[in-house]
Amino acid sequence: MSIEINDIEKDILKEIINIGLAKAADSFAAIARDKVFLSVPDVQIVDPEDMTSIIPEGDRSDAVIQSDIKGDLNGKTFILFPDKQSAYLADVCIGSVADFKGNYPAMKRSLLLEISNMLTGSIVTQLANIFKVHLYGSAPVAVPFGVPKSFSDLISDFPVFKPFILTVNTHFVNSGRLVELPLIIVFDMDTIVKILEIIREQSKANKYWLR
């Protein structure tokens, strides 16, 4: 099974993600206790066979947080947190290890889960509002990553048909420090067909999408 998606349809999907991530910045700022800027992301639509060239090889100390998109559409999100960058996020949002009284690793893990929850939640809300569908995100969970795990292992429970993958590279900027937040959004083929049907129906009705 294959699908065709034109440049306008791609731009609509990208803009929905842009708006969703922009809305997450305010929530992010509350945690960071400072102004936060989430850069306009670079969004690519990637063939699963090309994922190894897009996603850096994982290290066992890296963190991957997964959320499921459920309801009228079916998908998953994955946010990759390289160890050095998650350490910086923890330092900004929690404080240094030396100053923290309590279980720092557990607090750091909770922070990464909450960041994933905010980013995924904003995108899910945006999709639901624009496409007029019922959607919700599951509670985020940490998943194993690194050798010998691969991205294909993480989506092995998807249907036989190739999944539809959007990779989003955005940035968390705080006090002049830039941290990459690679985000992967995966839809099964039935879901992307539904999305394109909605986009095309609305386009025929000359409705302006992103009001």
Side-chain angles (χ1 to χ4, degrees):
M1 182 178 183
S2 62
I3 58 169
E4 294 184 3
I5 178 169
N6 62 38
D7 289 341
I8 293 176
E9 292 160 352
K10 289 179 183 177
D11 287 342
I12 289 171
L13 288 173
K14 291 177 182 179
E15 188 60 22
I16 291 169
I17 293 169
N18 287 345
I19 294 171
L21 291 176
K23 291 180 181 298
D26 290 339
S27 299
F28 216 152
I31 294 178
R33 295 163 295 179
D34 198 355
K35 290 183 179 179
V36 165
F37 173 69
L38 288 176
S39 66
V40 175
D42 173 34
V43 180
Q44 300 181 55
I45 298 171
V46 181
D47 189 294
E49 294 178 356
D50 297 329
M51 287 304 296
T52 53
S53 64
I54 301 296
I55 302 301
E57 184 176 344
D59 185 88
R60 289 190 183 278
S61 59
D62 294 344
V64 179
I65 309 298
Q66 172 190 329
S67 294
D68 292 341
I69 300 173
K70 299 181 178 181
D72 294 333
L73 305 177
N74 182 43
K76 298 176 185 286
T77 66
F78 300 91
I79 302 181
L80 283 61
F81 293 94
D83 185 56
K84 289 183 179 179
Q85 301 205 13
S86 61
Y88 174 72
L89 287 170
D91 187 63
V92 168
C93 300
I94 303 171
S96 68
V97 178
D99 296 333
F100 186 78
K101 307 300 181 183
N103 188 335
Y104 195 85
M107 192 66 181
K108 177 181 173 183
R109 179 188 176 95
S110 295
L111 170 68
L112 300 184
L113 291 170
E114 182 56 28
I115 291 172
S116 177
N117 192 44
M118 286 188 301
L119 296 180
T120 298
S122 294
I123 291 172
V124 167
T125 298
Q126 199 64 31
L127 287 169
N129 289 343
I130 290 177
F131 292 149
K132 308 301 181 188
V133 294
H134 172 64
L135 282 184
Y136 62 96
S138 67
V141 295
V143 296
F145 191 58
V147 180
K149 282 286 183 180
S150 68
F151 182 74
S152 296
D153 294 323
L154 299 180
I155 58 172
S156 59
D157 61 332
F158 257 55
V160 176
F161 295 124
K162 286 184 177 180
F164 185 88
I165 299 171
L166 296 102
T167 64
V168 183
N169 191 27
T170 192
H171 300 88
F172 163 94
V173 182
N174 173 267
S175 301
R177 176 70 180 266
L178 182 146
V179 177
E180 289 190 1
L181 293 174
L183 167 65
I184 301 166
I185 305 171
V186 186
F187 294 119
D188 65 22
M189 193 61 71
D190 288 343
T191 289
I192 199 61
V193 167
K194 289 180 184 178
I195 288 174
L196 291 176
E197 285 176 350
I198 295 170
I199 290 174
R200 289 162 185 170
E201 286 176 5
Q202 295 293 332
S203 297
K204 287 179 181 178
N206 293 320
K207 291 190 176 181
Y208 179 53
W209 275 96
L210 303 175
R211 286 184 290 191

